[in-house]
Amino acid sequence: MPAPADGGRRSALMDTGARVCDFLSDMDSTVSQNEPLAPHTWFGLGGAARWMVQPRSIEQLCTIVRRCRQRDVPWRVLGLGANLLVSDDGVDGVVVRLKSPVFRTIRWGSARDGRASNLKVIVGGGTDMNRLSLEAARHGLSGLECMGGIPGTLGGIVRMNAGGRLGAIENVVHNVTVVDSTGLLRTLSNDDVGFQYRRTNLGDSIVVEATLALSPDDPLRVRERLLQIWNDKKRSQPMADYSAGCVFKNPPGHSAGQLIDQAGLKGRTVGGASVSRIHANFIVAKEGATARDVLTLIGIIRREVAAQFGIELELEIEVWGPRMMYASGPMEQTQLA
Ligand code: EPU
C-alpha cells in the first residue's frame, strides 16, 4: 500500500473563506483550518476539513467535544484514513486526530485478569494497529494475529470491529474508555460497545483507550502466524494501489468480492476509479480520480449486484460528506453519489 497521496485538491469549502475559528481559539497551536484531507487518507481523495484539531490531553478532547456539541458542529476522528472516503466538497466540521503521545501509549500489563490465560494490555486509541500487533508478538502475546495487515488506529479498528476471516477485535476487547457525545469520559464493557460484524454502537463517542485481554504464547509462533496472515493478504488483495480496503461488508452467507466478481464488474471504471482486478471488493483510485468517481462506481456496483442476485450490498467504508453524515443505508448512499 502506498503512502497517502498528496492530493492537492482544494475543496469548495476552502474557497468560501473560513469562518473565524473562535470556539477553538484558545487551542491555537493544536488547530489548523481548511486542512486538505486527501493526504491523510489511503484513497488520496476528497476535499478539506474546515478544522483539524490535535488535542494534547484527554481533558482537551472532552472540551472540544463539548464545544462542538454546544455549537452544533459535527466532529469525527481521523485515524490512518484507511477505511474512509472523503467527499470532494470536504467536511464542514471538526476532524480530530489522536496523535499526541497520551493517545498512543501501550501499557503492557503484568497482572492476570482472573482467567489464568489472559494478560491485560491498555492501548491508546491513536495507536497504530500494525505496531501494536508486532509488539504484542515480541511480548509473546497472542490474540491480535487476525489483525495482520489491517491498517488503522486502535480506535478506528474498535469502532468498526475490524478483522478478517480468523476473527475481529471484539474477541480481545475487555473494555473501552470513550469520550462520549456529551464530552464525558466513560468506560464501556465489551457488551456495552455492541459489537456486531463490522459495526458497534459507538456513534459519536471517541475511543480514548481500550483494555485488551491477550494470551501468553511463544513469541516466534505468534509472529509467524501474524506474518502468515499478512502475506496471504499481500497475495490476494491490491495492497500496492490507492484504496480503502474492502468497500462493502460481506452479506450474510456471501462474499461481497465474489458477488461483484460474478456480476462481471472486475475492471469496471468510472473516471479514475476502478473495481480491482485482484479483489473485486476493492475500488482502486488512479491519478486524477475524484471521490465522486468512487461514489458513482459504488452506485453501479450496488445496482448490478442487486439486479443480478437480489442482494443489497452495505458499505463497510465510511463516507464523510460536508456535514459528515456518513453513509450506512441505501438512501444516504444514493444521495452522496
Ligand atoms: N473472491 C472472488 N473474487 C474476488 C474476491 C474474492 O471470487 O474478486 C472469492 C474468494 O475466492 C473467496 C471468497 O470470495 O472464495 C472470499 O474472499 P476472501 O478470502 O478474499 O475474503 P473476503 O470475505 O473478501 C474478508 C474481509 C477482508 C479480510 C479477508 C481476509 C470483509 C468485507 N472482508 O474478505 O477485510 O482481509 O476476509 O481475512 O469482511 C477489509 O475489511 O477491508 C478487508 C479487506
Side-chain angles (χ1 to χ4, degrees):
M1 195 59 94
D6 182 359
R9 303 168 180 88
R10 317 283 290 180
S11 79
L13 287 175
M14 299 183 71
D15 302 328
T16 58
R19 284 201 302 257
V20 180
C21 183
D22 54 351
F23 82 112
L24 299 172
S25 58
D26 56 334
M27 296 180 188
D28 256 359
S29 57
T30 61
V31 182
S32 55
Q33 288 192 53
N34 295 327
E35 175 76 28
L37 290 172
H40 300 290
T41 72
W42 283 42
F43 255 137
L45 302 175
R50 190 177 286 278
W51 298 287
M52 184 178 277
V53 196
Q54 296 194 17
R56 293 207 185 87
S57 64
I58 295 171
E59 295 69 34
Q60 220 176 32
L61 178 60
C62 293
T63 306
I64 290 163
V65 169
R66 274 199 302 274
R67 291 189 193 169
C68 284
R69 193 181 166 89
Q70 280 158 9
R71 308 251 172 162
D72 195 25
V73 172
W75 70 89
R76 279 282 179 272
V77 179
L78 176 65
L80 294 191
N83 197 49
L84 173 65
L85 177 65
V86 176
S87 86
D88 296 317
D89 291 333
V91 158
D92 191 9
V94 169
V95 170
V96 178
R97 300 211 81 189
L98 302 181
K99 294 186 80 175
S100 150
V102 70
F103 300 111
R104 291 163 60 193
T105 51
I106 305 176
R107 303 197 305 275
W108 301 98
S110 54
R112 307 269 164 172
D113 78 344
R115 284 180 294 163
S117 57
N118 282 341
L119 200 76
K120 284 182 185 166
V121 181
I122 302 172
V123 187
T127 306
D128 184 318
M129 177 48 78
N130 285 333
R131 175 191 151 213
L132 174 65
S133 52
L134 280 168
E135 286 193 22
R138 262 198 293 278
H139 280 77
L141 289 173
S142 169
L144 292 173
E145 295 92 306
C146 63
M147 308 307 294
I150 298 182
T153 56
L154 179 82
I157 277 172
V158 167
R159 182 186 164 79
M160 67 166 293
N161 193 17
R165 257 169 304 154
L166 301 177
I169 196 71
E170 67 177 308
N171 302 336
V172 294
V173 169
H174 179 72
N175 63 40
V176 177
T177 302
V178 299
V179 172
D180 74 9
S181 60
T182 65
L184 293 174
L185 206 56
R186 295 177 56 202
T187 298
L188 308 174
S189 69
N190 179 299
D191 278 352
D192 296 336
V193 175
F195 286 112
Q196 293 174 49
Y197 169 66
R198 301 290 181 272
R199 72 189 298 164
T200 59
N201 58 19
L202 288 174
D204 284 339
S205 294
I206 296 176
V207 175
V208 172
E209 66 181 26
T211 303
L212 309 181
L214 303 179
S215 330
D217 199 344
D218 173 52
L220 286 178
R221 282 175 44 198
V222 178
R223 189 180 159 83
E224 205 172 291
R225 286 197 295 269
L226 178 66
L227 296 183
Q228 170 78 47
I229 290 169
W230 212 319
N231 285 332
D232 284 350
K233 272 185 201 161
K234 278 191 204 151
R235 269 196 297 276
S236 61
Q237 298 179 2
M239 306 277 272
D241 291 305
Y242 292 108
S243 82
C246 286
V247 173
F248 300 101
K249 297 179 187 180
N250 284 336
H254 295 275
S255 154
Q258 196 165 39
L259 291 170
I260 299 165
D261 190 351
Q262 286 171 353
L265 290 166
K266 268 188 172 171
R268 176 69 77 91
T269 297
V270 174
S274 309
V275 177
S276 167
R277 291 190 183 278
I278 300 172
H279 193 300
N281 199 7
F282 284 64
I283 290 179
V284 295
K286 282 193 314 215
E287 182 81 37
T290 62
R292 176 156 293 274
D293 293 340
V294 177
L295 288 165
T296 306
L297 190 53
I298 284 172
I300 291 171
I301 295 168
R302 296 186 78 240
R303 278 192 294 277
E304 279 291 322
V305 168
Q308 294 194 34
F309 306 109
I311 294 173
E312 288 268 314
L313 290 178
E314 199 185 323
L315 281 181
E316 178 184 298
I317 59 169
E318 277 204 14
V319 181
W320 289 357
R323 288 289 290 174
M324 288 186 185
M325 298 303 179
Y326 64 90
S328 57
M331 277 309 292
E332 288 159 306
Q333 287 169 18
T334 310
Q335 282 163 12
L336 280 164

